[in-house]
Amino acid sequence: MCRIAGALRTLLPLLAALLQAPVEASGEIALCKTGFPEDVYSAVLSKDVHEGQPLLNVKFSNCNGKRKVQYESSEPADFKVDEDGMVYAVRSFPLSSEHAKFLIYAQDKETQEKWQVAVKLSLKPTLTEDSMKEPPEVEEIVFPRQFSKHSGHLQRQKRDWVIPPINLPENSRGPFPQELVRIRSDRDKNLSLRYSVTGPGADQPPTGIFIINPISGQLSVTKPLDREQIARFHLRAHAVDINGNQVENPIDIVINVIDMNDNRPEFLHQVWNGTVPEGSKPGTYVMTVTAIDADDPNALNGMLRYRILSQAPSTPSPNMFTINNETGDIITVAAGLDREKVQQYTLIIQATDMEGNPTYGLSNTATAIITVTDVNDNPPEFTAMTFYGEVPENRVDVIVANLTVTDKDQPHTPAWNAVYRISGGDPTGRFAIQTDPNSNDGLVTVVKPIDFETNRMFVLTVAAENQVPLAKGIQHPPQSTATVSVTVIDVNENPYFAPNPKIIRQEEGLHAGTMLTTFTAQDPDRYMQQNIRYTKLSDPANWLKIDPVNGQITTIAVLDRESPNVKNNIYNATFLASDNGIPPMSGTGTLQIYLLDINDNAPQVLPQEAETCETPDPNSINITALDYDIDPNAGPFAFDLPLSPVTIKRNWTITRLNGDFAQLNLKIKFLEAGIYEVPIIITDSGNPPKSNISILRVKVCQCDSNGDCTDVDRIVGAGLGTGAIIAILLCIIILLILVLMFVVWMKRRDKERQAKQLLIDPEDDVRDNILKYDEEGGGEEDQDYDLSQLQQPDTVEPDAIKPVGIRRMDERPIHAEPQYPVRSAAPHPGDIGDFINEGLKAADNDPTAPPYDSLLVFDYEGSGSTAGSLSSLNSSSSGGEQDYDYLNDWGPRFKKLADMYGGGDD
């Protein structure tokens, strides 16, 4: 038992140090006493206190757990106490004796009972001046021996130890340079050595952080280190003699920068935004906040803990949310989220390092804004049970009533938007309800006209519901109902004619003053005593009038079916009926008169002009009749010639071909050319029939074998006017002018072409010069031509059968050539003259060949030939005056010349 008690006494301080809990009184376990368990709370602080710095945590024992305690400080200007007992500094100030002690009060909100406890603050101890002057012991690092003598030989020794790293805390206050270790070689007893260090921090960037005394080997640091910039330095120590020769192998020195809690936690965002649906159950995930600490994350300095400092508003519970102190996940812990009551919560989140130790850890805060999103937990409700409206009859697209509803859900969302429908009272579908997107009101609209004389009132039953169904578990009906009472207002309506249009049948030719019919209108307003008066609105031929009181229509002119105002035997007239209501209304009606034809138009000859030849043959004139009446007052027609003048029947004869056509011919063998007027009697088939003498203008002219007029007067006889004749003459003149201009232009072009001469200087004339070409013939042997081939071209040997070995080098190479029609060969024996004549004829018939007298222009071949003119070379006719025997001495190539001019008889 003694050993166990001793072990417990040893472990308890160790556990207390690991937990790093604030100092709290243990109190008595046996009895629970309401109040502070400690009489005095103590805290050790640095000299400067910062605003918002947590100082310590006081505990209040609440035995029954029902007390609601409120904390207060005796120094409210300097300190405040949170609801969880955490004491904070209200402002920044240096800690002095006047702030060293103050009181904290705890008061029950219901019973007003009050408790108090004292808080004592003390400064951290600082180093004394004597301790600072005392130099600390410096560790010594000795180069290990690499070789030793054994039996007269050097032998390598194994390195059996490793130099441990040097741990150096960051942010050291010095004094600098601060000695770290002393590097020494055991050969410094016999040699004068020099020490140096290399590596980052010494001679490499960042340079100058570590220095070494070359004589003593003392390694020092020159300034404070920052672990967040460089956490480890790797140096190499060297030892050389005064000549620079290496005495020892370099040794590695590792300096670890020990982390200090010099960085506060920093939230990734100062303001975090999250959402949670209203009505969410406890345990619903909301959002995650994250903070980072630049200190070592594997040490307490970088281990963060989260907690919620405050919640605003605190309804319906001050602890609606909780946070996972390690991950930062925020979840709901209480029910009762209602967007219609609280739309947004603001949480102050604190992140503290040192695993959340409020005394030694550094803290920082951020804001988490949680928006409560809307769900459809409130149906729309009508603001009244009955709505009233009125509408004039015969009006459409007018708003009758405005239905208003209330919905507690978020505006302009599917859970707030209302949908209206008519559930009863409108069997014919004369009303519709549209939703106003801004106000969410229902607009009752008339979509079909309503007649007051048929329906004076409508009572509609309407229902309203949301675009989306209600959320599950909502104890409300999904829709709300109301009634709409619509009153129809009687208005003055237009009188109307019946039937419209009205059709009557009458014969044409009625005299003025004849009563045709009565055309009256009716007034749909049965409950209004009104008078109707009539006026004429449209009467194209001005044939009718209407009585303004009784609507009787009477003629004021003769009706004519052949009038241009009559279309398809129907004449249209429009009349206006107006009442004396307020305001006065009117309606129109159309009277259609179908006119029956009478025989009131005599037939006329058609055509009225014709032409024929001076003799009866070879043509005649076909005529017909034009009658504006219709059957049976038109054809068939009878054609005849009058008895006077007597020359008509003596010169002409008419023959009826059928009921509509007749033929007019010359009765005499010859009639002098001219224009004659032939009267023709035409009678229709009406009852009684109607006759008319029509004049046919006949032009008699001289004709060709085809029966066409040949004299110039035909133009006039054909009915061409003076303007047409002038236009034809102008066209002919313009055409002649264009032809003349073209001829002049062609002649001028020929003159310009003839005027173009090739101006060549006589010295540049190459016709008598010898030009050097790349291909020269085969010499004298090529001048042995067979002239018989010109006489018999058909016996020419084709190139394809020539031996390849005897082909001349200057001949055109053999290749496929296009096949042209072969000109017929001259009869054997051939004659070169026939061949030339055929070529000449072909050239004359070629449209692309130039005229024989035109100037042919060839390519200019240059000037300045080195050869003289060959015209100065004259050959002797006999050749006997010169001696050509020397040509035999020039070789076989000149043998031909020697034989020709060498003086032989041959």
Side-chain angles (χ1 to χ4, degrees):
M1 294 296 293
C2 294
R3 291 180 179 178
I4 295 173
L8 289 175
R9 284 194 299 269
T10 306
L11 290 174
L12 284 177
L14 181 60
L15 291 174
L18 289 174
L19 292 176
Q20 294 184 355
V23 180
E24 296 176 352
S26 60
E28 295 293 335
I29 301 177
L31 298 176
C32 178
K33 181 180 179 182
T34 301
F36 293 101
E38 292 285 342
D39 294 334
V40 178
Y41 285 94
S42 301
V44 179
L45 304 175
S46 60
K47 182 178 180 181
D48 295 328
V49 178
H50 303 284
E51 179 182 355
Q53 178 181 348
L55 305 179
L56 74 163
N57 193 352
V58 295
K59 294 293 184 180
F60 184 83
S61 299
N62 191 356
C63 296
N64 54 15
K66 297 182 180 179
R67 294 179 181 272
K68 295 182 178 180
V69 180
Q70 183 178 0
Y71 296 99
E72 293 181 0
S73 171
S74 62
E75 303 291 338
D78 298 331
F79 308 99
K80 70 174 182 178
V81 187
D82 206 352
E83 293 181 354
D84 57 355
M86 180 62 67
V87 181
Y88 295 92
V90 177
R91 63 183 180 88
S92 300
F93 57 87
L95 187 63
S96 60
S97 59
E98 61 182 17
H99 301 110
K101 190 174 183 179
F102 61 94
L103 298 178
I104 293 177
Y105 304 100
Q107 185 175 6
D108 193 327
K109 294 183 180 179
E110 296 181 356
T111 63
Q112 302 300 320
E113 190 175 357
K114 199 170 186 180
W115 297 266
Q116 69 179 21
V117 67
V119 177
K120 183 178 179 182
L121 304 179
S122 58
L123 290 172
K124 289 182 180 179
T126 57
L127 296 176
T128 62
E129 187 176 347
D130 296 336
S131 62
M132 294 178 62
K133 291 181 180 179
E134 228 177 70
E137 280 190 21
V138 178
E139 183 181 359
E140 187 176 81
I141 297 176
V142 181
F143 281 92
R145 293 298 303 272
Q146 301 296 322
F147 300 94
S148 62
K149 287 186 178 181
H150 184 74
S151 302
H153 299 283
L154 292 175
Q155 295 183 350
R156 183 182 299 273
Q157 292 181 346
K158 295 183 179 179
R159 180 175 295 181
D160 55 355
W161 57 277
V162 177
I163 299 175
I166 302 172
N167 295 326
L168 183 63
E170 65 174 336
N171 303 326
S172 175
R173 296 186 178 181
F176 295 103
Q178 180 180 350
E179 297 178 353
L180 300 180
V181 293
R182 182 171 178 268
I183 299 173
R184 187 182 66 82
S185 173
D186 55 1
R187 306 177 102 183
D188 59 354
K189 299 177 181 179
N190 302 324
L191 298 174
S192 177
L193 303 181
R194 296 293 183 268
Y195 300 96
S196 63
V197 290
T198 60
D203 61 341
Q204 299 177 18
T207 60
I209 296 179
F210 298 98
I211 59 175
I212 189 171
N213 189 316
I215 304 299
S216 64
Q218 183 69 47
L219 180 65
S220 304
V221 60
T222 61
K223 60 182 178 180
L225 303 180
D226 189 356
R227 190 205 67 85
E228 285 71 40
Q229 293 183 359
I230 301 177
R232 172 179 291 186
F233 294 91
H234 190 182
L235 306 178
R236 304 201 77 184
H238 307 270
V240 297
D241 57 16
I242 58 176
N243 296 321
N245 299 319
Q246 179 176 321
V247 176
E248 301 282 0
N249 289 333
I251 60 173
D252 294 330
I253 300 175
V254 177
I255 301 175
N256 292 329
V257 183
I258 304 302
D259 184 43
M260 304 295 289
N261 192 15
D262 57 343
N263 291 280
R264 291 181 178 273
E266 296 291 340
F267 283 91
L268 297 181
H269 305 287
Q270 193 58 35
V271 178
W272 297 77
N273 293 285
T275 59
V276 60
E278 62 175 332
S280 297
K281 297 180 180 180
T284 302
Y285 171 80
V286 179
M287 61 190 298
T288 299
V289 296
T290 304
I292 58 174
D293 196 317
D295 293 325
D296 188 358
N298 298 319
L300 291 178
N301 297 333
M303 295 183 181
L304 306 182
R305 295 296 182 264
Y306 301 92
R307 72 181 186 124
I308 299 176
L309 296 182
S310 64
Q311 169 192 310
S314 59
T315 57
S317 171
N319 298 314
M320 294 296 295
F321 306 92
T322 186
I323 188 170
N324 187 311
N325 64 346
E326 293 185 2
T327 63
D329 295 341
I330 300 176
I331 60 174
T332 60
V333 293
L337 289 173
D338 190 352
R339 191 204 65 83
E340 287 72 37
K341 294 181 180 179
V342 179
Q343 299 182 3
Q344 184 175 282
Y345 289 91
T346 302
L347 306 180
I348 303 300
I349 309 298
Q350 184 185 60
T352 306
D353 56 16
M354 299 295 292
E355 288 188 325
N357 190 307
T359 303
Y360 304 104
L362 301 178
S363 303
N364 212 337
T365 60
T367 303
I369 299 177
I370 301 175
T371 302
V372 182
T373 59
D374 186 37
V375 298
N376 192 14
D377 56 346
N378 294 281
E381 297 180 1
F382 284 103
T383 57
M385 295 301 296
T386 303
F387 296 89
Y388 298 92
E390 58 183 21
V391 58
E393 63 174 333
N394 301 321
R395 296 281 299 277
V396 294
D397 296 332
V398 294
I399 298 176
V400 176
N402 192 5
L403 311 181
T404 56
V405 295
T406 59
D407 195 320
K408 297 179 182 179
D409 292 322
Q410 185 175 358
H412 306 291
T413 61
W416 178 81
N417 297 334
V419 178
Y420 300 88
R421 59 184 178 87
I422 300 174
S423 58
D426 185 23
T428 57
R430 298 183 181 274
F431 298 91
I433 305 179
Q434 299 177 352
T435 304
D436 188 330
N438 297 322
S439 63
N440 210 27
D441 294 344
L443 308 178
V444 182
T445 309
V446 180
V447 294
K448 294 181 181 180
I450 304 173
D451 187 7
F452 173 82
E453 286 70 26
T454 304
N455 297 298
R456 298 188 181 185
M457 179 175 288
F458 291 87
V459 179
L460 309 177
T461 302
V462 297
E465 57 187 1
N466 291 125
Q467 288 182 348
V468 295
L470 288 176
K472 295 181 180 180
I474 303 301
Q475 304 298 325
H476 292 288
Q479 64 182 13
S480 178
T481 58
T483 58
V484 181
S485 179
V486 181
T487 302
V488 182
I489 302 174
D490 189 15
V491 297
N492 188 21
E493 300 178 72
N494 298 326
Y496 64 93
F497 288 89
N500 190 14
K502 184 176 183 179
I503 303 175
I504 62 173
R505 299 171 65 90
Q506 292 288 342
E507 284 188 352
E508 65 173 333
L510 290 179
H511 299 290
T514 303
M515 200 277 287
L516 297 180
T517 184
T518 300
F519 196 22
T520 58
Q522 299 179 7
D523 192 349
D525 298 315
R526 293 177 296 177
Y527 302 99
M528 296 182 183
Q529 301 298 326
Q530 299 179 145
N531 297 325
I532 297 178
R533 296 185 65 84
Y534 304 94
T535 56
K536 185 172 64 173
L537 189 61
S538 173
D539 183 11
N542 197 23
W543 289 344
L544 307 174
K545 71 174 182 177
I546 187 170
D547 188 279
V549 178
N550 55 25
Q552 287 186 356
I553 298 176
T554 309
T555 62
I556 57 175
V558 178
L559 304 183
D560 185 8
R561 192 198 64 85
E562 290 75 30
S563 170
N565 297 308
V566 178
K567 306 297 181 183
N568 298 326
N569 302 327
I570 296 177
Y571 180 75
N572 292 315
T574 306
F575 299 93
L576 181 69
S578 304
D579 60 20
N580 59 348
I582 301 176
M585 304 299 292
S586 61
T588 59
T590 301
L591 178 65
Q592 293 183 342
I593 305 174
Y594 187 88
L595 295 175
L596 304 176
D597 185 40
I598 62 174
N599 194 12
D600 57 345
N601 293 280
Q604 299 177 4
V605 69
L606 190 71
Q608 296 180 358
E609 295 180 354
E611 62 180 21
T612 186
C613 298
E614 295 175 331
T615 59
D617 294 328
N619 58 3
S620 59
I621 301 173
N622 293 327
I623 61 173
T624 184
L626 174 64
D627 195 334
Y628 292 105
D629 293 325
I630 60 176
D631 189 70
N633 298 319
F637 300 98
F639 300 89
D640 199 2
L641 297 175
L643 297 177
S644 62
V646 294
T647 57
I648 298 301
K649 280 200 170 185
R650 185 182 63 191
N651 296 337
W652 305 92
T653 180
I654 190 167
T655 304
R656 183 181 180 187
L657 300 178
N658 54 34
D660 294 329
F661 292 92
Q663 195 174 73
L664 182 66
N665 296 297
L666 278 175
K667 192 174 182 181
I668 60 178
K669 294 183 179 181
F670 177 80
L671 183 62
E672 186 179 357
I675 298 175
Y676 298 87
E677 292 184 354
V678 181
I680 299 175
I681 302 174
I682 305 176
T683 305
D684 60 18
S685 299
N687 187 16
K690 208 170 187 64
S691 299
N692 183 33
I693 298 177
S694 295
I695 303 299
L696 176 63
R697 298 179 74 249
V698 180
K699 178 192 175 188
V700 179
C701 60
Q702 297 177 1
C703 298
D704 54 13
S705 60
N706 297 325
D708 298 328
C709 290
T710 58
D711 53 352
V712 182
D713 294 339
R714 183 186 175 197
I715 298 177
V716 180
L720 292 176
T722 305
I725 297 173
I726 294 175
I728 294 174
L729 293 176
L730 286 177
C731 291
I732 295 173
I733 293 173
I734 292 173
L735 182 61
L736 292 175
I737 293 174
L738 291 176
V739 173
L740 181 61
M741 292 177 63
F742 179 74
V743 172
V744 172
W745 177 75
M746 289 295 295
K747 289 185 177 181
R748 184 175 181 182
R749 182 184 177 190
D750 292 340
K751 290 182 179 180
E752 290 179 355
R753 183 179 296 174
Q754 294 174 5
K756 292 181 179 179
Q757 299 295 333
L758 181 61
L759 300 179
I760 303 176
D761 189 78
E763 295 180 359
D764 296 337
D765 192 356
V766 298
R767 287 177 294 179
D768 296 334
N769 294 338
I770 296 178
L771 299 181
K772 180 180 181 300
Y773 295 93
D774 293 338
E775 294 183 359
E776 298 177 346
E780 301 296 336
E781 295 178 355
D782 292 336
Q783 297 180 4
D784 188 9
Y785 300 109
D786 185 6
L787 298 178
S788 64
Q789 302 299 326
L790 297 176
Q791 297 178 348
Q792 297 181 2
D794 54 335
T795 63
V796 178
E797 182 181 6
D799 293 336
I801 62 176
K802 289 183 180 181
V804 178
I806 63 174
R807 181 173 300 279
R808 287 173 43 192
M809 296 301 294
D810 58 343
E811 279 189 295
R812 183 169 54 184
I814 299 174
H815 56 79
E817 295 182 354
Q819 300 298 323
Y820 297 99
V822 179
R823 185 181 291 110
S824 61
H828 185 75
D831 188 357
I832 193 62
D834 296 335
F835 178 79
I836 295 174
N837 289 332
E838 288 182 6
L840 179 60
K841 184 178 179 181
D844 293 337
N845 295 329
D846 187 4
T848 62
Y852 69 93
D853 57 347
S854 62
L855 177 63
L856 301 180
V857 181
F858 298 91
D859 290 340
Y860 181 61
E861 296 182 348
S863 62
S865 174
T866 57
S869 175
L870 294 179
S871 60
S872 62
L873 297 178
N874 295 323
S875 299
S876 174
S877 60
S878 64
E881 298 178 359
Q882 297 185 24
D883 185 10
Y884 294 100
D885 292 336
Y886 64 92
L887 294 175
N888 293 320
D889 299 333
W890 287 10
R893 294 190 177 184
F894 296 90
K895 185 176 182 305
K896 188 69 174 178
L897 290 176
D899 294 339
M900 294 175 61
Y901 298 95
D905 295 334
D906 294 338

